Amino acid sequence: MSHLQQIEQLRNQALAELDSLNGADAVEAWRIKYLGSKGLVKQAMALLKDIPPAEKPMYGKTANQIKGELTKAFQACKDAKVSSQQQPVTQSVDVTLPGTSAKIGHRHLLTQTVDEICDIFARMGFSIAYGPEVEDERHNFDALNIPPAHPARDPLDNFYIDEKIMLRSQTSTVQIRTMEATEPPVRIISPGRVYRPDTVDATHSFMFHQVEGLYVDEGVTMADLKTCVDQFCKAYFGDDIKTRFRPSFFPFTEPSAEIDVEFSQDDGSTKWIELGGCGMVDPNVLESVGYDSEKYTGYAFGLGIDRGVMRKHGIPDIRLLFESDVRFLRQF
Ligand code: DAH
């Protein structure tokens, strides 16, 4: 038998043996016997040096091919026989077991409320605008007709990031951003977070939520403002809610008013709760964004969302809204 025939016989024998093996140990023993560092394939390759030069290239090539072939066959056998035997029992599926019910959460009460508020105003023709929570002084103060010496700009009453940049203290900033970007008429609401360094207690937080409203067009009047706010309060709190406008002052509106809503107390009496501020947009504000204040008038309002939520749902402490305690949140 020639050297070549011998090595081919070795291959056939190895493959036949591999085919009949059972179990991981046997497969490993086969590997050592044929492919191990002192295995039969290695030995056959070592013969190369004794082979006549004319046969060497053919023998070497065939030996290499066989080594590759056996290595592949070994790997395939190991994957098929050994791994399938070692499958852990836990991976099998009992399709007769009843399923585990999935627990699906729900939106936070404040998120639900913002969506509800947006829906109500959308029905009145308002679109929704958003603005950044990190603001500059122009949008938070200057363009809103709040002069540099105004007490509302006191560093102790605001979260300044540097001399000119701050966390916005009101959503009125979005009035300016919207008017800068759009020609009149504009009719938007803007819900979002605002920040003030208030000491935290049952009714105060360093962060709370407002919804801003702005409507600028030709011929907009205070009657439009009162109707809009009153309709909103009825849609959100219920048809029998009473609203009241109290004269007030804001630098960016003239005239200005405070919006109060009447709630009944546990003892049967009623109490007016302040919901926010509003007024006719001050001509200075319109001019600061390049609107013609002779041609256009507008109204604006800013309502406290958290306060409304607390009243509507009988929540006694604002901190409950921000603590993410699921025992509280699941109730809504
Ligand atoms: N920005 C005011 C605040 O945070 C609320 C407010 C008052 C907003 C009057 C308005 C407005 O748009 O017209 O206290």
Side-chain angles (χ1 to χ4, degrees):
M1 209 191 296
S2 73
H3 291 300
L4 212 56
Q5 281 169 332
Q6 271 177 24
I7 194 177
E8 273 169 358
Q9 195 186 0
L10 178 68
R11 180 212 21 224
N12 295 342
Q13 175 197 328
L15 289 176
E17 248 178 59
L18 187 64
D19 222 24
S20 65
L21 292 179
N22 238 331
D25 292 348
V27 174
E28 178 59 9
W30 181 94
R31 185 192 67 77
I32 293 167
K33 178 177 172 187
Y34 289 98
L35 296 170
S37 55
K38 291 177 187 154
L40 293 174
V41 173
K42 212 29 175 263
Q43 287 173 28
M45 285 177 124
L47 285 181
L48 193 64
K49 60 179 183 334
D50 305 326
I51 286 178
E55 290 174 32
K56 260 191 190 176
M58 192 56 189
Y59 184 85
K61 198 175 152 202
T62 313
N64 268 327
Q65 264 174 11
I66 289 175
K67 187 182 172 199
E69 205 179 319
L70 294 185
T71 308
K72 252 194 190 160
F74 163 74
Q75 203 50 56
C77 173
K78 197 172 146 192
D79 290 348
K81 293 195 176 163
V82 180
S83 334
S84 67
Q85 281 170 5
Q86 283 180 347
Q87 286 259 333
V89 194
T90 49
Q91 277 193 13
S92 65
V93 176
D94 181 351
V95 291
T96 63
L97 279 177
T100 349
S101 59
K103 279 208 188 97
I104 299 174
H106 67 277
R107 289 167 307 152
H108 191 284
L109 175 59
L110 279 168
T111 312
Q112 294 177 38
T113 304
V114 167
D115 289 352
E116 188 184 349
I117 292 173
C118 290
D119 273 0
I120 296 171
F121 280 113
R123 294 204 290 275
M124 292 195 258
F126 287 79
S127 39
I128 300 163
Y130 296 99
E133 289 172 25
V134 178
E135 256 301 0
D136 53 45
E137 285 198 306
R138 166 170 163 75
H139 293 93
N140 204 85
F141 296 129
D142 297 325
L144 286 163
N145 203 32
I146 304 174
H150 195 282
R153 297 177 72 145
D154 191 323
L156 291 176
D157 290 332
N158 294 283
F159 287 115
Y160 278 91
I161 287 166
D162 64 26
E163 300 248 306
K164 302 255 166 239
I165 306 292
M166 59 187 299
L167 296 182
R168 68 178 179 190
S169 62
Q170 49 184 352
T171 45
S172 305
T173 52
V174 189
Q175 290 188 32
I176 304 303
R177 289 194 172 269
T178 305
M179 288 190 286
E180 279 172 344
T182 330
E183 287 299 311
V186 294
R187 180 153 39 176
I188 56 110
I189 56 155
S190 182
R193 297 189 188 100
V194 299
Y195 301 84
R196 291 178 200 173
D198 283 339
T199 305
V200 177
D201 63 20
T203 51
H204 295 87
S205 169
F206 50 86
M207 182 278 296
F208 55 99
H209 298 78
Q210 290 185 331
V211 58
E212 192 78 14
L214 174 73
Y215 177 31
V216 181
D217 202 347
E218 288 180 51
V220 177
T221 70
M222 189 102 182
D224 298 320
L225 166 63
K226 283 189 82 170
T227 308
C228 171
V229 170
D230 192 55
Q231 288 300 311
F232 164 74
C233 289
K234 287 196 162 67
Y236 180 63
F237 292 110
D239 268 341
D240 47 1
I241 197 84
K242 276 200 195 128
T243 53
R244 170 175 91 175
F245 280 55
R246 217 166 5 98
S248 184
F249 172 81
F250 297 100
F252 34 92
T253 42
E254 182 61 37
S256 305
E258 218 94 45
I259 304 160
D260 294 340
V261 186
E262 190 183 37
F263 287 99
S264 36
Q265 305 284 99
D266 287 342
D267 64 3
S269 66
T270 58
K271 192 176 174 191
W272 289 99
I273 304 285
E274 184 193 316
L275 196 63
C278 66
M280 298 305 292
V281 180
D282 193 293
N284 286 343
V285 174
L286 296 175
E287 295 296 333
S288 78
V289 295
Y291 280 16
D292 181 351
S293 63
E294 295 292 325
K295 187 168 171 198
Y296 296 104
T297 53
Y299 66 70
F301 54 83
L303 312 177
I305 295 182
D306 317 80
R307 230 181 252 181
V309 168
M310 288 168 73
R311 271 289 143 182
K312 179 164 167 170
H313 298 281
I315 298 165
D317 193 318
I318 193 172
R319 289 168 286 199
L320 287 164
L321 292 174
F322 307 134
E323 279 169 355
S324 300
D325 184 334
V326 285
R327 291 167 302 179
F328 167 76
L329 295 175
R330 272 201 201 113
Q331 300 173 57
F332 306 98

